[in-house]
Amino acid sequence: MKKSCIVITIVLLCLLVVSLSLTLLQKKIPIGSRIALVRIEGPILDSRDIVEEIKEHTRDHSIKAIILRIDSPGGAVAPSQEIYEGVKKAAAAKKVVVSMGSIAASGGYYIAAPADMIIANPGTLTGSIGVIMEIPNIEGLMTKIGISTEVIKSGRHKDMASVFRKMGIEERELLQGVMDNVHEQFIRAVAAGRKLKVEDVRLFADGRIFSGEQAKTQKLVDELGTLEDAVQKTAELVGISGEPDLVERKEKTSIMELLKNRFPKELTDIFPTLRIKFLYTP
């Protein structure tokens, strides 16, 4: 009886070791015909999860290519730039294809630019290459209800863009300078990602939006098609015959994730801050 228990224990340990070994080796040994699908949906408020997901798929040798399904009007500048860099690094290691949904505008287009191929639906809203900063002014309301503010500052521009007073001419010029600089960064990023001349991109980088068909004529999009078309095209690019195995993270369902990705704009702007955004806001 004792001998049998020892044998069973050894067998179970062996099975455990084999299972762990296969799990560890899975990401180092190409298995099957796997393509990763990364969904980027809603306003871009943070880059950490998306960049990490792209990194994981880039390091995984069983993943032959990455598809980015973008359905976003854009968002904050820094997260958009961080995702752009993540996509750029991934594209240097393996094929990256973008599939555009209903909208991939402003920051949503920015993050698509470094991909090897961009596929949009004919009616996708895209483009909107521009930068926006919204600064509310409640000076009139404060005066009406008899409330005033006292500001103590160490520099004359420390309260620049305050919501409690009108913006001065010099302040507007300073902020416009910042906006123009960030806009130029956007133009250069699109030109580099799409392998276009900066001067050519600048011609339509005035915030205008395009349909998928229009974007194709401007060389902002390579082909027209659905997500299914993008999957098939990606499979062809990496030599996969037949139906590829799509790898996708489970949809985020936690309350914090839902709040982070789909928090209404009206609520996020209750307490205004000085923010520059790659955001299409009709």
Side-chain angles (χ1 to χ4, degrees), residues 109 126-127 129 190 194 196-197 200-201 203-205 208-222:
Y109 182 79
T126 190
I129 300 172
V190 171
R194 296 296 298 163
L196 299 172
K197 292 181 180 179
D200 291 342
V201 176
L203 292 175
F204 50 77
R208 74 182 76 175
I209 60 168
F210 301 100
S211 69
E213 282 190 346
Q214 291 174 323
K216 189 173 183 293
T217 64
Q218 299 290 351
K219 299 181 180 178
L220 293 176
V221 165
D222 297 297

Side-chain angles (χ1 to χ4, degrees), residues 112-142:
D116 294 290
M117 177 175 286
I118 298 177
I119 300 174
N121 287 281
T124 295
L125 290 181
T126 190
S128 189
I129 300 172
V131 193
I132 188 170
M133 179 188 293
E134 298 161 312
I135 304 167
N137 182 354
I138 61 172
E139 182 182 23
L141 175 63
M142 298 284 282

Side-chain angles (χ1 to χ4, degrees), residues 50-204:
I50 295 169
V51 170
E52 186 56 38
E53 187 174 356
I54 292 171
K55 274 184 180 178
E56 285 179 9
H57 293 316
T58 304
R59 291 191 294 256
D60 189 340
H61 295 286
S62 71
I63 301 293
K64 292 191 173 183
I66 301 171
I67 297 174
L68 302 179
R69 175 65 171 183
I70 300 175
D71 205 334
S72 170
V77 170
S80 298
Q81 291 180 328
E82 289 170 355
I83 296 171
Y84 176 99
E85 290 300 323
V87 174
K88 184 179 175 182
K89 289 174 182 175
K94 56 185 63 177
K95 293 292 182 183
V96 178
V97 174
V98 166
S99 168
M100 292 181 169
S102 299
I103 183 169
S106 201
Y109 182 79
Y110 190 103
I111 62 177
D116 294 290
M117 177 175 286
I118 298 177
I119 300 174
N121 287 281
T124 295
L125 290 181
T126 190
S128 189
I129 300 172
V131 193
I132 188 170
M133 179 188 293
E134 298 161 312
I135 304 167
N137 182 354
I138 61 172
E139 182 182 23
L141 175 63
M142 298 284 282
T143 301
K144 188 174 182 179
I145 60 179
I147 298 176
S148 61
T149 60
E150 296 291 340
V151 178
I152 301 171
K153 55 185 178 179
S154 59
R156 59 187 178 135
H157 295 305
K158 191 61 181 174
D159 66 337
M160 185 166 57
S162 170
V163 300
F164 302 115
R165 61 175 177 77
K166 291 179 181 178
M167 189 185 301
I169 295 174
E170 187 179 6
E171 289 176 320
R172 182 174 291 276
E173 289 175 350
L174 288 170
L175 288 175
Q176 188 62 57
V178 173
M179 298 292 285
D180 291 343
N181 177 264
V182 177
H183 186 208
E184 186 65 21
Q185 293 175 33
F186 197 161
I187 293 170
R188 292 199 304 266
V190 171
R194 296 296 298 163
K195 297 178 176 57
L196 299 172
K197 292 181 180 179
V198 172
E199 295 75 19
D200 291 342
V201 176
R202 192 174 283 115
L203 292 175
F204 50 77

